[in-house]
Amino acid sequence: MTPDLFSDTDTAQPPRIEALGTQAWVLRGFALPWVEGVLAPLREVLKAAPFRRMVTPGGFTMSVALSNCGALGWTTDTHGYRYSPLDPRTGLPWPGLPIVIRELGIAAASAAGFADFDPDACLINRYLPGAKMSLHQDKNERDLEAPVVSVSLGLPAVFQFGGHARGDRPLRVPLLHGDVVVWGGVDRLRYHGVLPLAQGTHAVMGAQRINFTLRKAG
Ligand code: MD3
Ligand code: FE
């Protein structure tokens, strides 16, 4: 079901699109009409594959807790980062990618100029206050030009959008509930991260931020 974005003529807003790079976009509030439809399937996914904190190859436990749905899920342990069809905690396949989440990803990719997005992986990150993600590149996917679609829910975060070298000074971009970031092509390998989450309580999501990213990993 595609929500009708402009059914209420008194409150309809124009899309707010911000360019972060040549092929990187923030779609402000893009996910808001989808949130109601996304939360129930997300809860079902998290019942089957609860959030857990994973260990990096360097031996640090991530402050962000994660889960996955879709044919492939991103994991890390002391041996490295990789995509796997199985949840290492159960040895079972990750829960399927809910259709509404897939449709949201395809709609956002299309709005950012990426036609024919066909995601097979959805990484779900949970930030509690204090949790952060250090500057990194996403390069475990097979096609490093395919777009990635990121949906932010809950507490606001400060996203860091850097360059192609770790040392490039990153832009700071606030990401709010309902914001979607889409990036691909020449911006696909830019360094990025998330500053430590500030305390707070969000009316819909409570004291947390959830970010899910749709990817073509395999
Ligand atoms: C990457 N997640 O899971 S997504 C990740 O908010 C990750 O949880 C962050 O980085 C999060 O790997 C950020 C948003 C994002 C936006 C623009 C990018 C990631 C980007 C541009 C280039 C590369
Ligand atoms: Fe990333």
Side-chain angles (χ1 to χ4, degrees):
M1 208 269 290
T2 303
D4 185 350
L5 295 169
F6 300 108
S7 58
D8 184 345
T9 51
D10 292 329
T11 55
Q13 298 294 315
R16 293 164 291 157
I17 303 185
E18 299 171 16
L20 289 181
T22 315
Q23 291 183 282
W25 311 92
V26 184
L27 311 178
R28 294 288 178 197
F30 187 92
L32 289 176
W34 301 74
V35 169
E36 274 216 10
V38 158
L39 286 181
L42 201 54
R43 273 188 214 104
E44 291 306 308
V45 165
L46 294 167
K47 248 187 251 172
F51 284 124
R52 79 293 303 268
R53 291 172 63 190
M54 289 186 175
V55 179
T56 66
F60 296 98
T61 299
M62 295 175 67
S63 59
V64 172
L66 66 82
S67 182
N68 291 278
C69 55
L72 292 170
W74 186 87
T75 66
T76 176
D77 60 22
T78 53
H79 303 291
Y81 308 124
R82 66 193 161 277
Y83 281 93
S84 165
L86 306 179
D87 178 346
R89 251 173 117 229
T90 59
L92 297 171
W94 295 104
L97 182 59
I99 290 167
V100 61
I101 292 181
R102 175 182 166 81
E103 294 298 324
L104 167 54
I106 291 170
S110 167
F114 295 98
D116 307 315
F117 182 42
D118 182 23
D120 59 10
C122 180
L123 168 60
I124 311 161
N125 292 323
R126 185 200 61 195
Y127 297 74
L128 299 180
K132 64 177 172 60
M133 194 172 287
S134 304
L135 280 179
H136 67 280
Q137 296 171 297
D138 292 16
K139 52 184 183 188
N140 297 120
E141 300 75 23
R142 202 164 53 83
D143 175 356
L144 292 181
E145 291 197 3
V148 178
V149 172
S150 139
V151 178
S152 291
L153 299 174
L155 290 176
V158 179
F159 174 66
Q160 295 181 294
F161 189 65
H164 285 88
R166 190 183 290 278
D168 294 345
R169 176 200 289 270
L171 278 179
R172 289 181 174 198
V173 184
L175 290 182
L176 311 182
H177 181 72
D179 288 349
V180 175
V181 185
V182 184
W183 69 101
V186 296
D187 291 315
R188 181 63 177 71
L189 289 178
R190 288 174 70 156
Y191 277 88
H192 58 281
V194 177
L195 294 180
L197 198 76
Q199 296 277 358
T201 306
H202 185 271
V204 175
M205 302 299 295
Q208 62 179 341
R209 168 176 188 260
I210 289 180
N211 175 273
F212 59 86
T213 43
L214 287 141
R215 302 152 187 254
K216 178 144 188 72

